[in-house]
Amino acid sequence: DGALIITPYYNKPTQEGLYLHYRRIAEAVDLPIMLYNIPGRTSVNMLPQTVARLAELPAIVSIKEGSGSIQQIDEVLQRCGDRLTVLSGDDALTLPIMALGGHGAVSVVANVAPRDTAGLITAAAKGDFSQARALHHRLLPLVNALFIETNPMPVKTALSLMGRCADELRLPLCAMRPEMKESLTGSLQRYGLL
């Protein structure tokens, strides 16, 4: 139905290289494309100017923004307006991003707490920031617990503890350290998921 395309990693392309890369993909496939900006994983940050250029291409319809910079995300929203659906790629920033005009999230915490995550997004979309803030504060300790080790190790471990999937990871991901798994288990228990 669509493609989520991460910024190329390892070779650290320039902004022009990023633009040309995404443009080539947009011209080669007949799918809507979601840009994925997560410099903490790729070591390259797609700047708002580049995102705005890409938003001119009909196939580029959204961005999963994981830069961690509210200022940068706000600039993307201002530059792109209604041409691009801006989604949070960082659960801790979903509420602030939506308060600035973002449209939702591609979420990790939704895997274990879908009802509250959807409730936060729905409330924020309706402008009920009191309810959205309450859900944000409820979810935040769980969000933090899901990132105590490299993602997706904690969320897969959490889902295993909840009986939703097998307790297995592919290398180079591995089992959580026992003390981290114990901490995660406690967070899930406090949230009422175990």
Side-chain angles (χ1 to χ4, degrees):
D1 294 329
L4 172 65
I5 309 290
I6 197 165
T7 54
Y9 47 89
Y10 182 73
N11 55 15
K12 298 183 183 180
T14 64
Q15 295 301 303
E16 184 65 15
L18 289 172
Y19 174 78
L20 294 170
H21 171 75
Y22 279 107
R23 188 180 79 189
R24 171 81 47 92
I25 295 168
E27 292 169 351
V29 300
D30 188 24
L31 289 171
I33 294 171
M34 178 185 293
L35 309 172
Y36 186 7
N37 187 37
I38 185 159
R41 292 269 176 127
T42 64
S43 296
V44 63
N45 184 24
M46 188 166 24
L47 297 177
Q49 301 89 324
T50 304
V51 175
R53 284 178 71 198
L54 289 165
E56 296 292 333
L57 303 172
I60 307 292
V61 298
S62 60
I63 184 169
K64 178 181 177 182
E65 219 339 313
S67 68
S69 168
I70 290 294
Q71 182 176 350
Q72 176 169 318
I73 296 164
D74 187 40
E75 189 175 342
V76 168
L77 286 160
Q78 289 180 45
R79 286 175 177 267
C80 296
D82 292 336
R83 293 176 299 146
L84 197 68
T85 299
V86 178
L87 301 171
S88 172
D90 181 342
D91 285 306
L93 296 181
T94 297
L95 177 58
I97 289 170
M98 291 193 70
L100 291 170
H103 302 92
V106 178
S107 171
V108 172
V109 74
N111 288 284
V112 296
R115 182 173 290 124
D116 284 349
T117 305
L120 183 159
I121 291 168
T122 300
K126 290 180 180 177
D128 183 355
F129 287 100
S130 176
Q131 175 67 13
R133 191 170 36 255
L135 287 165
H136 168 81
H137 289 140
R138 174 165 162 65
L139 283 162
L140 197 55
L142 187 58
V143 168
N144 292 334
L146 292 173
F147 289 90
I148 58 174
E149 287 200 290
T150 301
N151 179 49
M153 289 164 38
V155 71
K156 293 221 176 224
T157 301
L159 290 166
S160 172
L161 291 167
M162 295 167 65
R164 302 277 171 93
C165 70
D167 186 14
E168 61 182 327
L169 294 161
R170 283 183 303 180
L171 292 173
L173 300 177
C174 59
M176 293 178 70
R177 291 175 287 158
E179 66 274 16
M180 295 293 108
K181 185 174 181 178
E182 183 178 326
S183 176
L184 174 64
T185 300
S187 294
L188 294 169
Q189 289 170 333
R190 285 187 293 281
Y191 203 88
L193 295 169
L194 294 182

